């Protein structure tokens, strides 16, 4: 809809018809794009902001409120964000101002559409269309459409009373017109200042800035005679805007003779007395030097194998390096058991070499020489022998196995031990009843032991006789058998199949002897 109320289809044409003529606004761009499709919520409740239009009754006679109210409601009900209700209200108020009607609608908006003014400007709902600046302090011809010279009001940001805009493109309000300096500060008419080594002043008539260079005295001629010094132009300390020629050290102009220092020495740099060029010299580092290597004080210095050497803090007056102190090496001649210290020609310290075997017993260690036998104190059946082969020493043990011994088969009082003290021996009884052992597989119910089992048994003869008893008037018989005297039950595992085993119990004979038994009755 145009200002005249005519409804048209072109959004761009409608927008340009509502453009407010304002020659002071250089940012207004007539380029307007066609609108995009906007979706609206149905059954939308109008906001209180749009309803303010109906309170501005003083303008209803010159600007019909209905179209602008509908546009405001449509804006608030659209899905477009942010909403343009404030713009709709601002448009209606601007049209009222163009017709000379002042409306202060923002006061009724309760902070919803607060204006955004610069720090030194204030908002006025009904400001004048003309705006004076320091550069246009005459009245601007009103170009707004008004047939009867009706006053025009425009809301916006204005300078507070007693101040004026500095220019038409900066929102700066000043009490007195002046010039804007290079750093952005305001200068009063006829005020002078210095900037970048120039004297500047504010022209009272044109409010323009004029500058001229800072005057400087001519620098006297300077000759640099010392080595390493060259002439350089630098700002004066008392007047940085002016320059002076000074003599300054430039090491690049020096001819430097660097000296290579020997081991144990380090280069130092000093300045020449007649200039600034460096002079190199060598001073001692405070270290020891040996075989082309530097050593710090306290460090061990490798020397011959028969000396221990260390670097000291004491300086040698002849070489200017630190002295090296050496003492003879203390050799370790104590060897462990079975070893002997053997001196070697050409060696400062020799080593301990093994010469015997060492056997470990609970009572202590025993040294056994090569080829010698040794019997343990509490084990008469074990003998130890030391052998040597290609420098390797081996300790072997030999264990004597005794035959089974049954004291019950011995003549009492004849039990003794062999000459080496390992096995028992005795004189056998004449009846020869002995305990013997044989190894055999035990088979029971088709189950068999996995290995032969040692089974003891009694074997031999005892005294048996028959004699006539005159007292009993009959034959008296005495039967003595080779019989077990002590035994116990033992268990052995029998294998029946691949997945089945059973436990079998048998009698294990511990001791055999002649035992009297009842003789069987003989029938005649």
């Amino acid at each position: 809809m145009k200002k005249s109320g005519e409804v048209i289809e072109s959004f761009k044409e409608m927008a340009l018809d509502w453009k407010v003529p304002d020659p002071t606004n250089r940012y207004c761009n007539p380029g307007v794009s066609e609108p995009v499709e906007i979706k609206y919520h149905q059954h939308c409740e109008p906001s209180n902001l749009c309803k303010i239009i109906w309170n501005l009754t003083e303008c209803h006679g010159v600007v019909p409120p209905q179209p602008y109210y509908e546009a405001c409601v449509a804006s608030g009900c659209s899905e477009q964000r942010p909403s343009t209700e404030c713009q709709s209200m601002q448009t209606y108020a601007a049209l009222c101002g163009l017709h000379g009607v002042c409306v202060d609608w923002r006061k009724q908006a309760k902070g919803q559409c607060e204006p955004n003014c610069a720090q030194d400007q204030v908002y006025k709902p009904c400001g004048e269309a003309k705006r004076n600046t320091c550069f246009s302090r005459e009245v601007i011809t009103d170009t707004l459409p008004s047939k009867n010279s009706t006053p025009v009001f425009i809301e916006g940001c204005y300078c507070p009373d007693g101040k004026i805009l500095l220019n038409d493109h900066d929102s700066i309000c000043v009490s007195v017109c002046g010039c804007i300096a290079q750093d952005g500060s305001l200068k009063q008419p006829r005020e002078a200042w210095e900037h970048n080594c120039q004297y500047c002043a504010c022209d009272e008539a044109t409010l323009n800035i004029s500058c001229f260079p800072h005057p400087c005295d001519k620098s006297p001629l300077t000759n640099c005679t010392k080595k390493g010094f060259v002439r350089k132009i630098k700002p004066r300390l008392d007047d940085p805007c002016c320059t002076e020629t000074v003599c300054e050290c430039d090491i690049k102009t020096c001819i430097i003779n660097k000296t290579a220092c020997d081991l144990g020495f380090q280069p130092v740099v000093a300045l020449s007395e007649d200039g600034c060029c460096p002079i190199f010299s060598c001073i001692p580092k405070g270290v020891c030097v040996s075989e082309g290597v530097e050593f710090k004080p306290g460090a061990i210095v490798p020397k011959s194998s028969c000396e221990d050497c260390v670097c000291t803090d004491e300086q040698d007056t002849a070489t200017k390096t630190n002295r090296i102190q050496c003492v003879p090496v203390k050799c370790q001649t104590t060897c462990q058991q079975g070893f002997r210290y053997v001196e070697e020609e050409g060696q400062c310290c020799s080593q301990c070499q093994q010469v015997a075997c060492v056997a470990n017993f609970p009572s202590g260690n025993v040294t056994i020489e090569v080829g010698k036998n040794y019997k343990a104190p509490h084990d008469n059946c074990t003998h130890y022998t030391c052998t040597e082969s290609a420098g390797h020493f081996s300790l072997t043990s030999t264990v004597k196995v005794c035959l089974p011994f049954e004291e019950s088969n011995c003549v009492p009082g004849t039990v003794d031990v062999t000459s080496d003290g390992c096995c028992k021996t005795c004189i056998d009884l004449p009846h020869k009843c002995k305990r013997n052992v044989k190894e055999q597989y035990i088979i029971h119910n088709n189950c068999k032991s996995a290995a032969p089992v040692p089974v003891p048994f009694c074997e031999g003869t005892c005294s048996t006789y028959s004699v006539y008893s005159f007292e009993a008037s009959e034959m008296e018989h005495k039967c003595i058998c080779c019989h077990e005297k002590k035994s116990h039950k033992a268990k052995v595992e029998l294998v029946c199949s691949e997945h089945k085993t059973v436990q079998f119990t048998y009698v294990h004979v511990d001791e055999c002897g002649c035992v009297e038994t009842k003789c069987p009755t003989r029938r005649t």
Side-chain angles (χ1 to χ4, degrees):
M1 178 181 290
K2 300 176 71 176
K3 290 187 293 186
S4 60
E6 178 187 359
V7 178
I8 58 177
E9 294 183 357
S10 174
F11 176 78
K12 183 175 181 180
E13 183 180 349
M14 181 273 295
L16 293 177
D17 184 66
W18 286 97
K19 181 177 179 294
V20 177
D22 186 0
T24 65
N25 188 353
R26 62 190 179 96
Y27 298 105
C28 189
N29 187 354
V32 181
S33 60
E34 292 296 331
V36 297
E37 183 180 357
I38 300 176
K39 298 181 180 180
Y40 298 95
H41 294 288
Q42 301 199 4
H43 309 294
C44 177
E45 181 68 24
S47 67
N48 293 330
L49 183 61
C50 295
K51 293 179 182 179
I52 296 177
I53 291 180
W54 300 113
N55 299 335
L56 309 177
T57 55
E58 62 271 33
C59 187
H60 290 178
V62 293
V63 181
Q66 184 64 36
Y68 305 96
Y69 173 73
E70 293 177 356
C72 181
V73 173
S75 173
C77 293
S78 70
E79 295 182 357
Q80 187 178 11
R81 289 292 180 270
S83 174
T84 57
E85 291 173 308
C86 292
Q87 287 85 337
S88 299
M89 292 298 302
Q90 185 175 346
T91 301
Y92 184 75
L95 290 175
C96 294
L98 290 176
H99 290 81
V101 179
C102 176
V103 292
D104 190 1
W105 66 277
R106 294 185 188 269
K107 185 181 295 185
Q108 303 180 45
K110 298 180 179 180
Q112 296 185 61
C113 302
E114 288 297 314
N116 186 19
C117 293
Q119 186 175 2
D120 56 349
Q121 293 190 358
V122 296
Y123 168 76
K124 292 183 180 181
C126 301
E128 296 180 357
K130 57 182 179 180
R131 298 195 185 194
N132 288 335
T133 68
C134 290
F135 295 92
S136 60
R137 284 172 281 186
E138 69 280 359
V139 177
I140 299 176
T141 304
D142 188 8
T143 58
L144 300 177
S146 178
K147 297 179 180 179
N148 301 324
S149 300
T150 304
V152 175
F153 301 105
I154 298 177
E155 69 166 340
C157 298
Y158 293 84
C159 288
D161 295 340
K163 290 190 176 184
I164 186 173
L165 276 174
L166 181 63
N167 51 48
D168 60 354
H169 54 80
D170 293 316
S171 300
I172 301 176
C173 297
V174 295
S175 301
V176 179
C177 290
C179 303
I180 299 296
Q182 294 88 338
D183 58 358
S185 62
L186 179 65
K187 302 296 183 180
Q188 300 295 329
R190 295 187 295 178
E191 182 180 352
W193 67 94
E194 189 174 352
H195 177 74
N196 284 346
C197 294
Q198 288 186 324
Y199 286 127
C200 301
C202 178
D203 187 86
E204 184 179 16
T206 63
L207 298 182
N208 289 329
I209 298 174
S210 59
C211 300
F212 60 90
H214 178 88
C216 295
D217 297 333
K218 187 176 180 181
S219 177
L221 183 63
T222 303
N223 291 324
C224 301
T225 58
K226 291 185 177 182
K227 293 181 180 179
F229 284 91
V230 296
R231 289 189 298 173
K232 286 192 177 181
I233 299 176
K234 302 187 70 175
R236 291 173 53 181
L237 296 177
D238 58 342
D239 189 356
C241 289
C242 297
T243 61
E244 62 179 348
T245 302
V246 297
C247 292
E248 194 172 86
C249 181
D250 186 358
I251 197 173
K252 294 179 182 177
T253 64
C254 298
I255 300 175
I256 302 175
N257 295 320
K258 291 187 176 180
T259 303
C261 297
D262 295 333
L263 278 176
F265 295 83
Q266 61 185 359
V268 292
V269 181
L271 296 179
S272 61
E273 295 180 357
D274 59 344
C276 68
C277 291
I279 300 175
F280 286 86
S281 62
C282 298
I283 62 172
K285 283 185 180 180
V287 297
C288 300
V289 177
S290 175
E291 303 293 335
V293 181
E294 294 180 350
F295 298 89
K296 292 182 179 181
I300 296 176
V301 181
K303 287 287 186 178
S304 67
S305 59
C306 293
E307 288 183 321
D308 287 334
C309 301
V310 65
C311 178
T312 67
D313 292 324
E314 183 183 353
Q315 188 182 74
D316 190 323
T317 56
T319 63
K320 300 300 182 183
T321 58
N322 289 22
R323 294 182 184 273
I324 299 175
Q325 185 177 10
C326 298
V327 294
V329 174
K330 292 182 179 180
C331 298
Q332 178 64 35
T333 59
T334 303
C335 301
Q336 64 182 5
Q337 190 173 2
F339 288 76
R340 184 175 61 196
Y341 184 78
V342 180
E343 294 184 357
E344 296 180 12
E345 186 177 356
Q347 296 292 329
C348 176
C349 290
S350 300
Q351 296 180 345
C352 292
Q353 297 181 4
Q354 189 174 2
V355 295
C357 299
V358 178
N360 299 320
F361 298 104
S363 57
N365 297 339
V366 176
T367 301
I368 305 174
E369 296 180 1
V370 176
K372 297 294 182 66
N373 291 330
Y374 177 79
K375 181 179 66 173
H378 303 290
D379 184 4
N380 294 328
C381 294
T382 304
H383 291 263
Y384 296 90
T385 305
C386 179
T387 59
E388 183 266 336
S389 175
H392 296 282
F393 289 76
S394 300
L395 182 66
T396 58
S397 60
T398 304
V399 180
K400 180 179 180 180
V401 179
C402 299
L403 295 174
F405 180 79
E406 290 293 340
E407 192 172 341
S408 59
N409 296 329
C410 298
V411 175
T414 63
V415 177
D416 199 357
V417 293
T418 56
S419 59
D420 56 8
C422 176
C423 300
K424 287 184 177 183
T425 182
C426 69
I427 300 174
D428 291 336
L429 289 172
H431 49 71
K432 299 295 184 181
C433 180
K434 296 181 180 180
R435 176 182 176 271
N436 290 330
V437 179
K438 65 177 178 179
E439 292 188 351
Q440 64 181 58
Y441 286 96
I442 297 178
I443 301 174
H444 180 75
N445 291 338
N446 295 325
C447 298
K448 183 180 179 181
S449 60
V453 177
V455 180
F457 64 96
C458 296
E459 184 180 33
T461 58
C462 295
S463 298
T464 302
Y465 62 90
S466 297
V467 63
Y468 180 80
S469 174
F470 293 95
E471 294 178 0
S473 300
E474 62 179 7
M475 291 295 293
E476 182 179 330
H477 305 281
K478 187 174 184 179
C479 296
I480 301 175
C481 298
C482 186
H483 205 281
E484 72 275 5
K485 285 188 174 182
K486 293 181 181 179
S487 64
H488 69 276
K489 291 185 177 180
K491 291 185 177 181
V492 64
E493 187 180 75
L494 304 182
V495 180
C496 300
S497 63
E498 184 178 356
H499 303 289
K500 181 181 178 182
T501 59
V502 295
Q503 293 290 329
F504 177 74
T505 303
Y506 69 98
V507 176
H508 186 93
V509 177
D510 298 318
E511 183 180 344
C512 296
C514 293
V515 178
E516 185 177 352
T517 183
K518 186 178 181 180
C519 295
T521 302
R522 183 179 180 183
R523 294 181 181 179
T524 58

